[in-house]
Amino acid sequence: MSNYDIIIGLEVHVQLQTATKLFCGCSTQFGAEPNTQTCPVCTGMPGTLPVMNRKAFDLAVRTALALNCQIAPFTKWDRKQYYYPDLPKGYQISQFDLPFSHDGWLEISDPKGKIEPKRLRIQRVHLEEDAGKSMHDEVAGSADSRIDLNRTGTPLLEIVTQPDMRSPAEAKAFLTELKLLLTYLGVSDCNMQEGSLRVDGNINLHVHTDAGKIATPIVEVKNMNSFRSVERALTYEAERLWDVWQESKQKLGDVPKQTRGWDDQANITRGQRHKEESSDYRYFPDPDLVPVTVSSERVAEVQSGLGELPAALRTRLETSYGITPYDSDVIVNQGRAAADYYLAVADGVADGKLASNWFQQDVLRTLNDRSLTIEQFGVPATALVALLKKIKGGELDNARGRQVFAAMLDQGLSADAAMQALGFEQVDESELVALCQEIVAANPKIVADVKGGNAKAAGSFVGMAKKKNKNVNPARVQEICLQLIAQM
Amino acid sequence: MLSRQDVNKVSLLARLQLTEAELDTMTSQLGQIVGYVEQLNELDTKSVEPLSHPVDVKNVFRDDVLQPSLPRETMLANAPHASDEFYLVPAVLGD
């Protein structure tokens, strides 16, 4: 039983896929030698002038519109001031009171029914620069921390949700859908291992008491390095907050907001420094950067170029391809390239369900088993179409189809070449009918059985036919035999 | 007006260690600057649009084109402490 509600809001930082940094021409490439991608601008040397990367701003607007945000006609950048060794300028260029976008939403749903469909509100999306990285090697016993400023100045989108999530599972669902959306848009690679996508969670409880609902102090949880750890960390933190509440009865406002870090090994959160009040950042407009205006025509132009987003594609697959919400969810969640593969197969063979079955059971299974991406997959959509056409047309049964598929995959053959290699030949229709006539005539007992209402008895014709010609299609043999018997 | 506490807080945020005497001096000097700027509050700005930038220029962008970065040794040469690869700073722990 739960006598409290869990209230969760998320702050997601996403690196945008630009070649260069937000304010200078240094590369944003991940994994370079430390401190080889910096210049006087991104390290904040006196007398340098930052100039906004047009592509970064365009990608930002694209993302905000896909998140159903309002685009501000006028936006500016501010200095957020704090001292930290990985922040060489002593301030981060960010957006304070006039972010370029605000008030959007993203819908989450789950065809497996684990969570209710829900529209989660986005408070704001703003564009800022990333900081560098600090590393401390405790094992080496060194007294120093090492600073790598390659990441400094990488374009970063901060997406702030409203506190609309009511469970860690909803938070995970939001992140999963957000990541999918961002990859469909092509604005970020969302690689959490490389820090392209980072998540902080704000969580507190609304405790039900006789005096009504009471909000507990808010805790910010950091260091969550996967969506799974987000779910686990928030689950842990909700339970911890409940324990703290029972002991302390502290309400929102009684203590400052606390920051806690998730320890993935120990499965706990640990307290970190107290969050400075936001006024302590002493934001003020950055005099080095000029404001940006966005016309409604420009907004309309970007909007029309967004392309088909995951939610719309799911609906299209259900309505135009006749597959279930569950199947369309599986397909769409594989990413745009995989969904395009499915669409090419489904369109080619003109059968959404058959394509869905093969895509999920054979294509996806192979990708999983062999840790491949769809781009690395050896059977082009056109080749799979050729195979599925043979199955649909009765030339191959499913079992033989799978053998052909395996040969296509492993030897890079076309469907025809794979069939030839396996010795599968299409049996001519007249030959097939003649063969069926022969076995029907030779088995009056079975014929009588079938006529007596036991249609299943016709199954034994299949084995007989296969003995005479291993290439016959079992389903066709049964069909023809039943027709012949019906005419007798 | 600016209090001694305000100055203490600002120096903390700026990671400046001030002696008691310096704190007094700063409170007085910063107080004079703030007081000077505060004269602006005497003006009636009700009908004036907020200004976010002194220069009336908007929408300045650059194309997303790579420019060479500076050599590492050039960048690291400016730091008080550095190894061949990294800037070195006093230990940063716990965050």
Side-chain angles (χ1 to χ4, degrees), chain A residues 69-215:
Chain A
C69 285
Q70 305 294 312
I71 304 297
F74 179 96
T75 185
K76 68 172 173 74
W77 277 262
D78 304 276
R79 293 184 177 182
K80 178 182 181 177
Q81 317 201 59
Y82 63 96
Y83 273 89
Y84 208 71
D86 62 16
L87 190 74
K89 290 201 291 287
Y91 60 86
Q92 177 192 26
I93 302 177
S94 181
Q95 299 201 279
F96 183 49
D97 56 335
L98 296 174
F100 79 90
S101 77
H102 57 92
D103 292 308
W105 49 264
L106 180 65
E107 239 159 31
I108 55 167
S109 64
D110 177 16
K112 294 179 211 104
K114 284 185 193 151
I115 53 160
E116 291 293 308
K118 195 170 175 182
R119 181 174 286 195
L120 301 168
R121 292 169 303 157
I122 311 279
Q123 190 184 91
R124 61 187 277 163
V125 179
H126 73 244
L127 178 61
E128 61 185 25
E129 58 175 349
D130 209 343
K133 269 186 219 165
S134 58
M135 288 148 277
H136 193 76
D137 190 359
E138 278 161 89
V139 186
S142 161
D144 294 324
S145 286
R146 293 166 298 160
I147 308 292
D148 175 8
L149 296 182
N150 280 351
R151 200 176 68 179
T152 304
T154 297
L156 203 58
L157 215 53
E158 179 171 323
I159 300 164
V160 185
T161 76
Q162 296 283 358
D164 282 356
M165 284 148 265
R166 292 292 171 272
S167 69
E170 282 187 8
K172 188 182 175 201
F174 173 84
L175 292 168
T176 307
E177 187 66 11
L178 176 66
K179 180 179 171 181
L180 189 69
L181 180 71
L182 296 171
T183 51
Y184 267 66
L185 287 169
V187 297
S188 174
D189 64 19
C190 295
N191 186 330
M192 281 187 96
Q193 272 70 49
E194 296 181 1
S196 306
L197 190 153
R198 310 196 282 273
V199 185
D200 300 329
N202 284 298
I203 179 169
N204 74 338
L205 307 179
H206 285 178
V207 182
H208 302 205
T209 71
D210 295 340
K213 283 186 193 176
I214 296 177

Side-chain angles (χ1 to χ4, degrees), chain A residues 20 34-35 52 145 287 293, chain B residues 53 59 62 64 72 85 89 92:
Chain A
T20 69
N35 294 305
M52 178 85 58
S145 286
T293 57
Chain B
H53 203 275
N59 305 327
R62 45 171 271 274
D64 186 28
R72 178 159 68 192
E85 297 177 300
V89 298
V92 183

Side-chain angles (χ1 to χ4, degrees), chain B residues 10-37:
Chain B
V10 171
S11 67
L12 197 76
L13 291 173
R15 304 290 183 268
L16 292 174
Q17 272 187 323
L18 301 182
T19 64
E20 290 299 308
E22 284 171 329
L23 205 54
D24 287 335
T25 313
M26 285 299 155
T27 305
S28 155
Q29 290 183 350
L30 276 177
Q32 279 171 32
I33 296 170
V34 171
Y36 177 72
V37 174

Side-chain angles (χ1 to χ4, degrees), chain A residues 304-317:
Chain A
S304 66
L306 285 180
E308 190 174 36
L309 301 176
L313 181 55
R314 285 193 193 99
T315 308
R316 182 157 74 95
L317 292 189

